[in-house]
Amino acid sequence: MKLVKPLALAAALVIPAFGAVQAQETRPNIVLILIDDVGFSDLGAYGSEIATPNIDALAARGALFSNFHASPICAPSRAMLMTGVDSHLAGVGNLPESLPLEHRGEPAYLGHLADDVVTVASRLQAAGYRTTMAGKWHLGHDEPDMLPPAHGFDRSFALDASGADNWEKRSYLPIYDTAPWFEDGKPADLPEDFYSSKFIVDKTIQYLDQGEESGKPFFSYLAFQANHIPLQAPREFVDKYVGRYDKGWHELRQSRFEGVLGKGLVPQDTALGPMPEGLKEWDKLSDDEKKSFAMNMAVHAGMLEAMDHHVGRFVEHLKETGEYDNTIFLVLSDNGPEPNDPLATPGFAQWLWWAGYSRDLDKLGEKGTYAFIGPEFASANAAPGSFFKLYAGEGGIRVPFIVSGEGIPALGAVNGFSFITDIAPTILGIAGVSATDEFEGKRVKEMTGRSLLPVLRGEKASPYSDEDAVGMEAAGNVALFQGGYKLVRNMPPYGDGEYYLYDVAADPGETEDMKEAEPERFAAMMAAYRDYAASVGALEVPAGYEQMKQLTVNRLHDRRGQLIAAALVALAILAGLVWLAVLGVRRLVSR
């Protein structure tokens, strides 16, 4: 058994099929589209009922990866996507907002990209590409050197938070005071007609048009807010799905499962994975509750279709400008579907009222409203996997990934294992750019991912052999893949913190634990995980840690000075009122 080692030479990335040594003007454009919190079966091409015709069209002329994995949390996924380096080595081993206080300052948990990692944008920029970024960044903004301009982007309009409102510039959670948007590294406001998916495409088109005369190929990163909470979408998209989900999540989960099977994305004898314990039963809900859940899911569907619509606008623009035929598209989700029910957090309903958000079903999705699907519909969107975002079950980390464009064969389903760190070396290989361990005169961490170009050429099913062990850890949730098997641990509240072993090549639903049947394999993979954790600096989370609860703990901790000051002011006011009352009593007595 061997752990995956960093690539020693970028020469392995060169792809004759794409012309490794091409004239600059003939090198392909590269478009990286990152969708937020979309489940494995959410896209039409992956078996969904949601209309995503533009992404489906890209998938039809390229490769649909059916065994591709990311982190279950957005920031670690984005760090690996941008650098090709394990999230801990890149400095973003957990969501910064929910990091245990004990982990703060540790090298693997900086909350921003480490100084010794290089983004794919920086490498492409140095190789003569013009580079643009629009959308969610979430890799640090406290200092200018944490924002996109310092990481290889010529032009950028970036949100550096876990999410934000899609209609206006405001926070979506009480842990944020506002929505921190930056254009080219400077604080920025949003236009009056802002809608996130439309704006991200508009900005990218604007940046590309402004640099068109350079004649350089471009790398454009479109990081959509869809489908992160709050779910919001124009009425015309939401209305298409009103009534579609009235039969609930069990019916949807079964239909999604059948859709995935019909697309040939998992073995035909796959068993549908279990829903986590403790979730609601559709048949036990009141009619009003069913109506509310179904409407929230309709907004989810409308938001995804709206995003796809704007992706279509972008593709059409590239066709009109003559760039489409020389562009490679990579489309993926950062993790599985969002399960959180914010209203389950004490005080959140009051915050929604104070912040001016409505849950009015007649307007849900429109400006000023706040929708979310909860863990039950999230479980359906992750079918056939178990669990969802935040967890290391297949529903949380097995996500859609599409590669399409000129020179990419129409492979259909690609069933070999791959990981999100593989995307950066693949992009560099497409561009004919080396990924050395030195950049701009300083030593940098080597990529831990491997190029997928041999897979796209049909030479291999996976860039990993049966001996390679590929590890992942986020907030205590663990996955380690080797030879078709997966070691996994899911933490509370929906997991139990125990380790399990699954043959995910045959059982992607994770329905049969193999650790008793194969104790030697289980022991070997446990040892491999310990080696992986030590090699990247992954730390165990403290006892009792839960990600969502830690958000509140960290908020209170970071604002303790303000809270103490506010408490002292309140006490001073109270003392003053008491003193005035005492004076009043004395005057009455003296009379």
Side-chain angles (χ1 to χ4, degrees), residues 39-48 52 55-56 59 63-68 256 259-261 263 265 331 383 399-402:
F40 181 75
S41 58
D42 256 325
L43 299 174
Y46 282 77
S48 175
T52 55
I55 292 175
D56 295 353
L64 289 80
F65 285 73
S66 63
N67 195 5
F68 174 82
R256 289 288 190 88
V260 169
L261 288 175
K263 297 287 186 180
L265 297 170
V331 184
V399 295
F401 173 46
I402 295 163

Side-chain angles (χ1 to χ4, degrees), residues 386-428:
S386 61
F387 291 92
F388 25 59
K389 175 183 173 180
L390 308 176
Y391 297 89
E394 289 295 273
I397 64 176
R398 187 183 288 224
V399 295
F401 173 46
I402 295 163
V403 184
S404 178
E406 187 66 25
I408 304 290
L411 296 174
V414 175
N415 300 316
F417 171 81
S418 53
F419 196 57
I420 194 167
T421 49
D422 302 335
I423 291 180
T426 302
I427 289 173
L428 294 181

